[in-house]
Amino acid sequence: MHFTSEQRLDDGVIEREFTLGEIPGTLWTPESAAPLPLVLMAHNNGLPKGAARLVARARHTAARGYAVATIDAAGCGDRPRSAADEQARADLRRAMQAGEPVDDIFESFVGPLVEKAVPDWQTTLDALLELPEIGGPVGYSGWTAVGIRLAALEPRIAAAGLFAGGYVPHAQREEARQITVPLLFLLQWDDEGNPRQRALDLFDAFGSKEKTLHANLGGHTGTPWFEAEDGHRFLGRHLK
């Protein structure tokens, strides 16, 4: 892991950009005693690590005493995408504009995106846990499809906060039954891109004995900011 920049932000959080082979990432840490619990934070469906909503959540979480990391995994952010990925995205835009069904198109690019992204997250987790300021436990927050696969494969994930707004491929819907870590599942009741019943069925499928569903009125990007505080209480119960 090679750190390429460092800056101290006005909320007392230190932000460091890093590269790990071909993986670019960002690590936020508070000015507090180490070792710190770690939160891996992923945005939905391959959006960049620098997306404003993700950065705001990451800084807010780091200021509460966590190391927070995000990456541009394979096919995400500015990293190269395959011709098939680009074609699927173009097909998706066309179908949405025409009001046509989009599930098959989502399946064709989100499934492979998850397959490629999770090994990069595991490589990043290995490197982060070697840093002296990070001691674990490890939590996950964000993109549900990646979170399911990562929690199914990674015994180091102790708890997960998942956002119901991203498309979840069929393979991850089946994997949900294997998940046993504590979960906090956030649902926007009127999410225009994710049918409500599908999200409720996924919540029911999770194998965790401790799982909590928070549902709020509003569309895809309308998650109330107070959910961040509830998320910190959830992380605090399981990571601190």
Side-chain angles (χ1 to χ4, degrees), residues 165-183:
Y167 180 83
V168 177
H170 290 286
Q172 277 66 63
R173 295 181 215 175
E174 290 302 314
E175 283 178 329
R177 305 182 191 282
Q178 304 173 28
I179 306 305
T180 59
V181 298
L183 293 177

PDB file of all heavy atoms in Angstrom, residues 165-183:
ATOM      1  N   GLY A 165     -31.048   0.343  -2.026  1.00  0.00           N
ATOM      2  CA  GLY A 165     -31.365   1.022  -3.276  1.00  0.00           C
ATOM      3  C   GLY A 165     -30.672   0.509  -4.514  1.00  0.00           C
ATOM      4  O   GLY A 165     -31.008   0.931  -5.610  1.00  0.00           O
ATOM      5  N   GLY A 166     -29.682  -0.377  -4.405  1.00  0.00           N
ATOM      6  CA  GLY A 166     -28.985  -0.865  -5.583  1.00  0.00           C
ATOM      7  C   GLY A 166     -29.502  -2.224  -6.019  1.00  0.00           C
ATOM      8  O   GLY A 166     -29.972  -3.015  -5.202  1.00  0.00           O
ATOM      9  N   TYR A 167     -29.382  -2.502  -7.312  1.00  0.00           N
ATOM     10  CA  TYR A 167     -29.824  -3.801  -7.833  1.00  0.00           C
ATOM     11  C   TYR A 167     -28.964  -4.916  -7.234  1.00  0.00           C
ATOM     12  O   TYR A 167     -27.734  -4.810  -7.174  1.00  0.00           O
ATOM     13  CB  TYR A 167     -29.709  -3.829  -9.356  1.00  0.00           C
ATOM     14  CG  TYR A 167     -30.156  -5.141  -9.950  1.00  0.00           C
ATOM     15  CD1 TYR A 167     -31.500  -5.385 -10.180  1.00  0.00           C
ATOM     16  CD2 TYR A 167     -29.238  -6.144 -10.248  1.00  0.00           C
ATOM     17  CE1 TYR A 167     -31.924  -6.601 -10.710  1.00  0.00           C
ATOM     18  CE2 TYR A 167     -29.648  -7.361 -10.779  1.00  0.00           C
ATOM     19  CZ  TYR A 167     -30.998  -7.583 -11.000  1.00  0.00           C
ATOM     20  OH  TYR A 167     -31.403  -8.782 -11.510  1.00  0.00           O
ATOM     21  N   VAL A 168     -29.605  -5.985  -6.796  1.00  0.00           N
ATOM     22  CA  VAL A 168     -28.918  -7.141  -6.229  1.00  0.00           C
ATOM     23  C   VAL A 168     -29.102  -8.320  -7.185  1.00  0.00           C
ATOM     24  O   VAL A 168     -30.228  -8.787  -7.386  1.00  0.00           O
ATOM     25  CB  VAL A 168     -29.460  -7.496  -4.828  1.00  0.00           C
ATOM     26  CG1 VAL A 168     -28.786  -8.751  -4.292  1.00  0.00           C
ATOM     27  CG2 VAL A 168     -29.256  -6.326  -3.869  1.00  0.00           C
ATOM     28  N   PRO A 169     -28.022  -8.821  -7.798  1.00  0.00           N
ATOM     29  CA  PRO A 169     -28.133  -9.952  -8.722  1.00  0.00           C
ATOM     30  C   PRO A 169     -28.695 -11.193  -8.033  1.00  0.00           C
ATOM     31  O   PRO A 169     -28.626 -11.336  -6.811  1.00  0.00           O
ATOM     32  CB  PRO A 169     -26.683 -10.181  -9.171  1.00  0.00           C
ATOM     33  CG  PRO A 169     -26.008  -8.868  -8.951  1.00  0.00           C
ATOM     34  CD  PRO A 169     -26.653  -8.289  -7.720  1.00  0.00           C
ATOM     35  N   HIS A 170     -29.212 -12.108  -8.840  1.00  0.00           N
ATOM     36  CA  HIS A 170     -29.834 -13.323  -8.298  1.00  0.00           C
ATOM     37  C   HIS A 170     -28.865 -14.125  -7.436  1.00  0.00           C
ATOM     38  O   HIS A 170     -29.254 -14.693  -6.408  1.00  0.00           O
ATOM     39  CB  HIS A 170     -30.376 -14.185  -9.441  1.00  0.00           C
ATOM     40  CG  HIS A 170     -31.572 -13.594 -10.122  1.00  0.00           C
ATOM     41  ND1 HIS A 170     -32.830 -13.584  -9.550  1.00  0.00           N
ATOM     42  CD2 HIS A 170     -31.691 -12.958 -11.317  1.00  0.00           C
ATOM     43  CE1 HIS A 170     -33.687 -12.988 -10.371  1.00  0.00           C
ATOM     44  NE2 HIS A 170     -33.027 -12.595 -11.437  1.00  0.00           N
ATOM     45  N   ALA A 171     -27.589 -14.168  -7.829  1.00  0.00           N
ATOM     46  CA  ALA A 171     -26.608 -14.947  -7.060  1.00  0.00           C
ATOM     47  C   ALA A 171     -26.480 -14.420  -5.638  1.00  0.00           C
ATOM     48  O   ALA A 171     -26.394 -15.192  -4.677  1.00  0.00           O
ATOM     49  CB  ALA A 171     -25.250 -14.924  -7.755  1.00  0.00           C
ATOM     50  N   GLN A 172     -26.492 -13.085  -5.486  1.00  0.00           N
ATOM     51  CA  GLN A 172     -26.366 -12.518  -4.146  1.00  0.00           C
ATOM     52  C   GLN A 172     -27.671 -12.656  -3.349  1.00  0.00           C
ATOM     53  O   GLN A 172     -27.636 -12.736  -2.125  1.00  0.00           O
ATOM     54  CB  GLN A 172     -25.954 -11.042  -4.228  1.00  0.00           C
ATOM     55  CG  GLN A 172     -24.463 -10.830  -4.404  1.00  0.00           C
ATOM     56  CD  GLN A 172     -23.971 -11.341  -5.739  1.00  0.00           C
ATOM     57  OE1 GLN A 172     -24.380 -10.833  -6.782  1.00  0.00           O
ATOM     58  NE2 GLN A 172     -23.126 -12.357  -5.726  1.00  0.00           N
ATOM     59  N   ARG A 173     -28.802 -12.692  -4.033  1.00  0.00           N
ATOM     60  CA  ARG A 173     -30.068 -12.907  -3.312  1.00  0.00           C
ATOM     61  C   ARG A 173     -30.073 -14.287  -2.655  1.00  0.00           C
ATOM     62  O   ARG A 173     -30.598 -14.457  -1.554  1.00  0.00           O
ATOM     63  CB  ARG A 173     -31.251 -12.763  -4.266  1.00  0.00           C
ATOM     64  CG  ARG A 173     -31.421 -11.348  -4.826  1.00  0.00           C
ATOM     65  CD  ARG A 173     -32.628 -11.254  -5.742  1.00  0.00           C
ATOM     66  NE  ARG A 173     -32.375 -10.338  -6.839  1.00  0.00           N
ATOM     67  CZ  ARG A 173     -33.203 -10.129  -7.846  1.00  0.00           C
ATOM     68  NH1 ARG A 173     -34.362 -10.779  -7.891  1.00  0.00           N
ATOM     69  NH2 ARG A 173     -32.899  -9.284  -8.813  1.00  0.00           N
ATOM     70  N   GLU A 174     -29.481 -15.272  -3.338  1.00  0.00           N
ATOM     71  CA  GLU A 174     -29.375 -16.609  -2.747  1.00  0.00           C
ATOM     72  C   GLU A 174     -28.328 -16.622  -1.620  1.00  0.00           C
ATOM     73  O   GLU A 174     -28.524 -17.275  -0.593  1.00  0.00           O
ATOM     74  CB  GLU A 174     -29.021 -17.627  -3.826  1.00  0.00           C
ATOM     75  CG  GLU A 174     -30.150 -17.891  -4.810  1.00  0.00           C
ATOM     76  CD  GLU A 174     -31.412 -18.380  -4.113  1.00  0.00           C
ATOM     77  OE1 GLU A 174     -31.319 -19.275  -3.250  1.00  0.00           O
ATOM     78  OE2 GLU A 174     -32.497 -17.847  -4.418  1.00  0.00           O
ATOM     79  N   GLU A 175     -27.223 -15.902  -1.818  1.00  0.00           N
ATOM     80  CA  GLU A 175     -26.174 -15.846  -0.797  1.00  0.00           C
ATOM     81  C   GLU A 175     -26.654 -15.195   0.490  1.00  0.00           C
ATOM     82  O   GLU A 175     -26.106 -15.446   1.564  1.00  0.00           O
ATOM     83  CB  GLU A 175     -24.960 -15.075  -1.318  1.00  0.00           C
ATOM     84  CG  GLU A 175     -24.090 -15.868  -2.265  1.00  0.00           C
ATOM     85  CD  GLU A 175     -22.933 -15.045  -2.790  1.00  0.00           C
ATOM     86  OE1 GLU A 175     -23.074 -13.817  -2.926  1.00  0.00           O
ATOM     87  OE2 GLU A 175     -21.882 -15.645  -3.086  1.00  0.00           O
ATOM     88  N   ALA A 176     -27.683 -14.362   0.398  1.00  0.00           N
ATOM     89  CA  ALA A 176     -28.189 -13.665   1.581  1.00  0.00           C
ATOM     90  C   ALA A 176     -28.566 -14.636   2.689  1.00  0.00           C
ATOM     91  O   ALA A 176     -28.457 -14.306   3.882  1.00  0.00           O
ATOM     92  CB  ALA A 176     -29.391 -12.799   1.209  1.00  0.00           C
ATOM     93  N   ARG A 177     -28.984 -15.821   2.335  1.00  0.00           N
ATOM     94  CA  ARG A 177     -29.379 -16.813   3.338  1.00  0.00           C
ATOM     95  C   ARG A 177     -28.184 -17.280   4.164  1.00  0.00           C
ATOM     96  O   ARG A 177     -28.353 -17.796   5.270  1.00  0.00           O
ATOM     97  CB  ARG A 177     -30.061 -18.006   2.657  1.00  0.00           C
ATOM     98  CG  ARG A 177     -31.235 -17.593   1.793  1.00  0.00           C
ATOM     99  CD  ARG A 177     -31.953 -18.765   1.147  1.00  0.00           C
ATOM    100  NE  ARG A 177     -32.885 -18.280   0.140  1.00  0.00           N
ATOM    101  CZ  ARG A 177     -34.072 -17.745   0.402  1.00  0.00           C
ATOM    102  NH1 ARG A 177     -34.476 -17.647   1.663  1.00  0.00           N
ATOM    103  NH2 ARG A 177     -34.860 -17.324  -0.573  1.00  0.00           N
ATOM    104  N   GLN A 178     -26.952 -17.105   3.622  1.00  0.00           N
ATOM    105  CA  GLN A 178     -25.746 -17.519   4.332  1.00  0.00           C
ATOM    106  C   GLN A 178     -25.254 -16.462   5.323  1.00  0.00           C
ATOM    107  O   GLN A 178     -24.386 -16.746   6.146  1.00  0.00           O
ATOM    108  CB  GLN A 178     -24.620 -17.794   3.333  1.00  0.00           C
ATOM    109  CG  GLN A 178     -24.945 -18.811   2.267  1.00  0.00           C
ATOM    110  CD  GLN A 178     -23.837 -18.878   1.228  1.00  0.00           C
ATOM    111  OE1 GLN A 178     -22.677 -18.610   1.517  1.00  0.00           O
ATOM    112  NE2 GLN A 178     -24.193 -19.236  -0.004  1.00  0.00           N
ATOM    113  N   ILE A 179     -25.773 -15.248   5.228  1.00  0.00           N
ATOM    114  CA  ILE A 179     -25.265 -14.146   6.043  1.00  0.00           C
ATOM    115  C   ILE A 179     -25.803 -14.264   7.463  1.00  0.00           C
ATOM    116  O   ILE A 179     -27.009 -14.363   7.688  1.00  0.00           O
ATOM    117  CB  ILE A 179     -25.670 -12.781   5.441  1.00  0.00           C
ATOM    118  CG1 ILE A 179     -25.232 -12.694   3.980  1.00  0.00           C
ATOM    119  CG2 ILE A 179     -25.087 -11.648   6.265  1.00  0.00           C
ATOM    120  CD1 ILE A 179     -23.774 -12.944   3.743  1.00  0.00           C
ATOM    121  N   THR A 180     -24.897 -14.243   8.435  1.00  0.00           N
ATOM    122  CA  THR A 180     -25.303 -14.371   9.836  1.00  0.00           C
ATOM    123  C   THR A 180     -24.840 -13.206  10.701  1.00  0.00           C
ATOM    124  O   THR A 180     -25.187 -13.158  11.886  1.00  0.00           O
ATOM    125  CB  THR A 180     -24.756 -15.682  10.431  1.00  0.00           C
ATOM    126  OG1 THR A 180     -23.334 -15.692  10.331  1.00  0.00           O
ATOM    127  CG2 THR A 180     -25.327 -16.895   9.700  1.00  0.00           C
ATOM    128  N   VAL A 181     -24.058 -12.266  10.147  1.00  0.00           N
ATOM    129  CA  VAL A 181     -23.589 -11.142  10.956  1.00  0.00           C
ATOM    130  C   VAL A 181     -24.746 -10.180  11.208  1.00  0.00           C
ATOM    131  O   VAL A 181     -25.729 -10.158  10.457  1.00  0.00           O
ATOM    132  CB  VAL A 181     -22.428 -10.396  10.263  1.00  0.00           C
ATOM    133  CG1 VAL A 181     -21.227 -11.313  10.082  1.00  0.00           C
ATOM    134  CG2 VAL A 181     -22.865  -9.789   8.942  1.00  0.00           C
ATOM    135  N   PRO A 182     -24.667  -9.365  12.272  1.00  0.00           N
ATOM    136  CA  PRO A 182     -25.700  -8.357  12.498  1.00  0.00           C
ATOM    137  C   PRO A 182     -25.823  -7.407  11.306  1.00  0.00           C
ATOM    138  O   PRO A 182     -24.819  -7.008  10.712  1.00  0.00           O
ATOM    139  CB  PRO A 182     -25.199  -7.618  13.747  1.00  0.00           C
ATOM    140  CG  PRO A 182     -24.335  -8.613  14.445  1.00  0.00           C
ATOM    141  CD  PRO A 182     -23.667  -9.393  13.361  1.00  0.00           C
ATOM    142  N   LEU A 183     -27.079  -7.048  10.978  1.00  0.00           N
ATOM    143  CA  LEU A 183     -27.349  -6.218   9.809  1.00  0.00           C
ATOM    144  C   LEU A 183     -28.221  -5.027  10.166  1.00  0.00           C
ATOM    145  O   LEU A 183     -29.144  -5.137  10.980  1.00  0.00           O
ATOM    146  CB  LEU A 183     -28.084  -7.023   8.741  1.00  0.00           C
ATOM    147  CG  LEU A 183     -27.363  -8.172   8.046  1.00  0.00           C
ATOM    148  CD1 LEU A 183     -28.325  -8.860   7.083  1.00  0.00           C
ATOM    149  CD2 LEU A 183     -26.130  -7.685   7.313  1.00  0.00           C
TER     150      LEU A 183
END
